[in-house]
C-alpha cells in the first residue's frame, strides 16, 4: 500500500477507511462466519493415524491460524504504513527528525513542565508531526474500540471527559454565552458574544423560523441558542443533552421561559421519548457540532432518526466540524490529540464530500452549504484569550498541567482551523422529494454577504 507524500492518504484509501469503519460490524460478522465455516468443514474426517492425515491436519491448523490473523495483520499494516510515511514526509520536508522531538512529544513536555513558548512550538515548524508511540498507544487503547463499536454506552461514558469538567471550566473558555460552537464574524471586528448572536440569528434565518414553530435542538449544550430561539423568536424549543451539568445550567438559564430541556440521548429519542415528538414531527431541527460524537459507524443511523422526527415541510440546520480531504500529517496528529484529550469518541469529523453523501443517503436534499473554518479560528482565538485571562483561577482549582493541556487544545485548534486542517460546514437541509418545501427554501436562501 503506497501513501503519497503530497497527499498522505489519497482519496481512494480515505474512502476505503471510512467504508470499513461504517460497515465494520458487517465485515467482522462476515469474517467470523467465514472462519466458522472453515473450522467446521475442513476438519479431519477420520481418526486413523497416518502420515498423510497428520500432514493434512497440520496444514489445516496452519491455514486456520493464517485466516484468523487476516484482520489484525491488515490493521497492523495500515498503522505501520501511516507511521513510516509520516517519518518519510517529515524527512522530505526538512524536519530534523533525529535531533528534535516530534511535535506531540514537544507539546507533552510543555504540558508537563511549562517550559518554552507554546506559540513558538506550534508556529516555528521545527517539530515534525510524526506518528509515534503516543499516537500508537491511544490508537490501540481507545480509538479503535470507540470507532468500530461506538455504542450508546460509549457516548454516555465520553460525556464526563468532554462536557462535565465543570461549568466554571467552560465559562472560563466560552465566555458569557457558553456556546461551544463556532460564531460568525460578518466584519471581523465582532466580540465573541456578537459573533455567537449573529450565528444564532443566521440559523433562525436559514430555517425560516416563525413564532410558534416546534424546534428540536439536538445537543443543546448550555442552551444559549435554545434561550434565544425561545425568547427572541417565540419558538417552542425542545433541547436534549447528555450532560447533567449542561442540563442544570440550562434549566436555570431558561427558568423564566417555556423551553423544554431533557437529559436524553438523541439516538434513543425516537424509541424512548415519543411523547416529546409533536404529532407529525418537528417543524425545525438543529444540530450544531454534535454529530461528530455519533461516530462514523452510526452517522447514517443518526441522520435517519432526524429525518424520521421532522415534518415533511420541515428544515434541518446541520453544523459540523470537519476535515479537509487532501490532508497532511499534522492534521492527523492533531486529530488524535483531540480524540484523546478533548473529545473522546468524536471520530466523525470528516471531509465535506463524505458528509454530503451521508445526508443525501438519509433522504435529505442540500439547499445551502458554507465552509466557515476561518470563522472557527476566530472563535477559538477568542476562547484562548478568555482561557488565558482566567489562568490563575484555573491553575488554583484544577492544576497547572490541566490548564496547559487545555491551552494546547485551544492554541493548536486556532492553527488547525486557520490553515484548513479542520474546518466548519454549515448545511441547510430539507427532505428530498418535497417540492413545495424545496421551492420555499430555494426562494429564501439567496447568497448573503458573510465575510471571512
Amino acid at each position: 500500500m503506497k501513501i503519497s507524500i503530497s497527499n498522505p492518504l489519497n482519496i481512494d484509501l480515505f474512502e476505503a477507511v471510512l467504508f470499513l469503519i461504517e460497515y465494520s460490524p458487517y465485515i467482522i460478522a462476515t469474517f467470523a462466519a467465514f472462519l466458522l465455516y472453515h473450522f467446521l468443514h475442513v476438519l479431519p474426517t477420520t481418526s486413523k493415524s497416518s502420515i498423510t492425515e497428520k500432514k493434512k491436519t497440520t496444514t489445516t491448523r496452519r491455514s486456520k491460524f493464517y485466516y484468523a490473523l487476516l484482520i489484525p495483520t491488515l490493521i497492523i499494516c495500515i498503522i505501520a504504513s501511516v507511521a513510516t510515511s509520516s517519518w518519510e514526509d517529515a524527512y522530505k520536508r526538512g524536519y530534523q527528525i533525529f535531533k528534535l522531538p516530534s511535535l506531540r512529544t514537544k507539546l507533552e513536555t510543555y504540558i508537563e513542565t511549562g517550559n518554552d513558548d507554546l506559540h513558538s512550538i506550534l508556529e516555528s515548524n521545527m517539530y515534525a508531526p510524526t506518528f509515534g508511540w503516543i499516537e500508537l498507544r491511544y490508537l490501540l487503547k481507545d480509538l479503535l474500540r470507540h470507532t468500530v463499536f461506538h455504542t450508546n454506552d460509549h457516548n454516555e461514558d465520553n460525556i464526563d471527559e468532554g462536557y462535565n469538567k465543570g461549568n466554571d471550566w467552560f465559562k472560563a473558555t466560552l465566555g458569557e454565552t457558553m456556546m461551544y460552537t463556532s460564531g460568525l464574524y460578518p466584519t471581523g471586528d465582532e466580540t465573541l458574544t456578537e459573533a455567537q448572536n449573529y450565528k444564532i440569528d443566521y440559523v433562525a434565518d436559514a430555517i425560516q423560523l416563525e413564532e410558534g414553530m416546534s424546534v428540536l435542538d439536538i445537543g443543546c449544550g448550555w442552551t444559549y441558542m435554545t434561550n434565544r430561539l425561545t425568547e427572541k423568536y417565540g419558538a417552542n424549543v425542545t433541547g436534549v443533552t447528555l450532560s447533567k451539568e449542561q442540563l442544570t445550567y440550562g434549566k436555570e438559564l431558561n427558568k423564566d421561559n417555556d423551553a423544554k430541556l431533557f437529559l436524553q440521548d438523541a439516538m434513543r429519542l425516537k424509541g424512548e421519548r415519543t411523547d416529546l415528538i409533536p404529532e407529525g414531527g418537528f417543524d425545525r431541527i438543529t444540530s450544531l457540532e454534535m454529530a461528530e460524537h455519533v461516530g462514523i459507524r452510526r452517522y447514517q443511523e443518526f441522520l435517519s432518526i432526524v429525518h424520521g422526527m421532522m415534518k415533511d415541510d420541515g428544515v434541518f440546520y446541520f453544523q459540523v466540524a470537519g476535515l479537509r480531504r487532501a490532508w497532511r500529517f499534522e492534521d492527523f496528529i492533531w486529530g488524535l490529540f483531540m480524540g484523546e484529550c478533548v473529545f473522546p469518541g468524536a471520530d466523525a469529523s470528516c471531509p465535506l464530500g463524505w458528509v454530503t453523501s451521508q445526508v443525501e443517503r438519509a433522504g435529505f436534499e442540500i439547499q445551502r452549504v458554507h465552509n466557515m473554518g476561518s470563522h472557527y479560528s476566530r472563535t477559538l482565538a477568542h476562547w484562548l484569550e478568555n482561557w488565558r485571562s482566567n489562568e490563575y483561577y484555573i491553575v488554583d482549582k484544577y492544576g497547572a498541567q490541566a490548564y496547559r493541556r487545555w491551552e494546547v487544545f485551544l492554541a493548536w485548534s486556532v492553527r488547525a482551523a486557520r490553515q484548513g486542517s479542520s474546518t466548519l460546514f454549515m448545511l441547510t437541509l430539507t427532505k428530498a422529494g418535497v417540492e413545495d418545501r424545496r421551492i420555499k427554501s430555494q426562494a429564501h436562501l439567496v447568497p448573503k454577504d458573510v465575510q471571512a
Side-chain angles (χ1 to χ4, degrees):
M1 177 178 59
K2 184 178 179 180
I3 301 179
S4 66
I5 297 305
S6 60
N7 183 10
L9 287 184
N10 59 59
I11 291 176
D12 291 339
L13 181 57
F14 197 101
E15 292 290 351
V17 170
L18 293 177
F19 177 87
L20 289 173
I21 293 172
E22 182 177 356
Y23 294 100
S24 56
Y26 306 103
I27 295 171
I28 293 171
T30 301
F31 181 68
F34 171 77
L35 282 181
L36 181 61
Y37 175 85
H38 182 74
F39 273 55
L40 291 178
H41 289 76
V42 195
L43 290 173
T45 58
T46 177
S47 60
K48 294 181 180 179
S49 92
S50 67
I51 295 177
T52 303
E53 288 169 354
K54 286 182 178 179
K55 287 183 178 180
K56 288 182 178 179
T57 301
T58 302
T59 302
T60 300
R61 287 174 178 170
R62 286 177 179 173
S63 64
K64 293 175 184 177
F65 177 74
Y66 294 147
Y67 285 133
L69 288 179
L70 182 60
I71 289 183
T73 301
L74 177 62
I75 293 173
I76 290 172
C77 287
I78 292 175
I79 294 174
S81 180
V82 171
T84 55
S85 294
S86 74
W87 283 80
E88 180 185 3
D89 178 63
Y91 178 77
K92 290 190 174 183
R93 291 180 183 279
Y95 286 102
Q96 300 183 53
I97 56 178
F98 300 110
K99 293 183 179 180
L100 296 174
S102 70
L103 179 59
R104 178 67 189 276
T105 300
K106 184 65 177 178
L107 289 170
E108 289 295 331
T109 300
Y110 171 79
I111 291 169
E112 291 178 12
T113 66
N115 295 337
D116 294 319
D117 177 70
L118 177 57
H119 181 79
S120 296
I121 294 172
L122 290 170
E123 302 293 346
S124 66
N125 291 319
M126 292 175 57
Y127 306 100
T130 50
F131 185 96
W133 168 246
I134 297 174
E135 290 77 18
L136 177 62
R137 180 183 60 194
Y138 167 60
L139 197 68
L140 297 178
K141 177 184 175 183
D142 193 64
L143 182 61
L144 289 177
R145 175 174 64 91
H146 277 92
T147 300
V148 172
F149 297 103
H150 210 111
T151 65
N152 289 325
D153 289 339
H154 283 152
N155 288 334
E156 293 174 6
D157 292 343
N158 293 332
I159 288 297
D160 284 340
E161 176 62 29
Y163 299 98
N164 286 339
K165 294 176 181 294
N167 287 335
D168 58 341
W169 176 287
F170 288 101
K171 192 80 169 182
T173 306
L174 308 176
E176 65 176 295
T177 67
M178 293 287 276
M179 285 289 291
Y180 206 7
T181 61
S182 176
L184 289 179
Y185 297 78
T187 69
D189 296 325
E190 286 77 15
T191 65
L192 179 59
T193 298
E194 289 170 341
Q196 294 292 11
N197 285 336
Y198 186 90
K199 186 268 301 294
I200 297 171
D201 292 340
Y202 172 92
V203 173
D205 178 74
I207 62 177
Q208 294 176 266
L209 186 61
E210 298 176 6
E211 185 176 355
M213 281 186 171
S214 59
V215 180
L216 173 63
D217 186 12
I218 301 175
C220 60
W222 288 272
T223 74
Y224 185 79
M225 188 174 82
T226 296
N227 180 275
R228 190 170 177 86
L229 295 183
T230 300
E231 297 186 355
K232 179 178 179 178
Y233 293 91
N236 297 318
V237 185
T238 299
V240 296
T241 177
L242 269 175
S243 168
K244 293 179 181 178
E245 294 199 23
Q246 287 181 343
L247 182 67
T248 300
Y249 187 97
K251 285 189 172 182
E252 177 63 24
L253 180 64
N254 293 277
K255 63 183 179 181
D256 296 325
N257 62 41
D258 295 326
K260 298 178 286 293
L261 304 173
F262 300 93
L263 189 70
Q264 176 64 45
D265 186 346
M267 299 294 287
R268 297 174 173 174
L269 179 59
K270 194 174 179 182
E272 294 180 350
R273 294 301 306 271
T274 54
D275 58 302
L276 302 183
I277 305 174
E279 184 176 355
F282 288 95
D283 294 305
R284 304 291 186 261
I285 297 180
T286 60
S287 176
L288 279 65
E289 298 172 47
M290 169 271 174
E292 295 87 323
H293 293 281
V294 172
I296 293 169
R297 189 178 72 77
R298 304 188 67 188
Y299 212 80
Q300 188 61 208
E301 177 188 354
F302 167 72
L303 290 170
S304 297
I305 290 171
V306 173
H307 189 278
M309 291 191 296
M310 190 172 75
K311 289 181 178 179
D312 288 345
D313 189 46
V315 184
F316 177 31
Y317 176 85
F318 193 37
Q319 183 167 307
V320 294
L323 303 173
R324 57 184 173 187
R325 185 178 294 274
W327 59 282
R328 298 184 182 276
F329 279 103
E330 184 181 345
D331 308 0
F332 182 53
I333 302 303
W334 169 81
L336 292 179
F337 170 83
M338 293 287 286
E340 181 178 2
C341 302
V342 184
F343 297 118
D347 60 75
S349 293
C350 293
L352 180 60
W354 185 84
V355 175
T356 58
S357 175
Q358 290 288 321
V359 298
E360 289 176 339
R361 279 174 55 193
F364 290 104
E365 182 178 9
I366 302 167
Q367 302 302 343
R368 178 166 65 182
V369 60
H370 286 306
N371 180 348
M372 306 300 284
S374 62
H375 290 249
Y376 215 161
S377 184
R378 290 180 187 272
T379 305
L380 286 155
H382 271 138
W383 292 349
L384 178 60
E385 182 181 342
N386 286 344
W387 185 249
R388 285 174 168 162
S389 70
N390 289 287
E391 178 180 358
Y392 293 113
Y393 171 81
I394 295 296
V395 169
D396 182 62
K397 183 172 181 179
Y398 294 98
Q401 289 191 12
Y403 168 81
R404 287 194 292 268
R405 187 169 295 278
W406 201 252
E407 182 192 22
V408 168
F409 148 56
L410 293 170
W412 201 356
S413 296
V414 169
R415 172 181 167 86
R418 184 189 71 236
Q419 66 186 10
S421 304
S422 71
T423 191
L424 179 76
F425 304 129
M426 302 166 61
L427 294 88
T428 304
L429 311 171
T430 61
K431 286 189 175 182
V434 182
E435 183 176 335
D436 187 54
R437 175 71 266 161
R438 184 174 193 267
I439 293 172
K440 289 178 183 176
S441 291
Q442 292 184 5
H444 175 73
L445 296 177
V446 295
K448 292 181 173 58
D449 184 19
V450 180
Q451 302 176 5

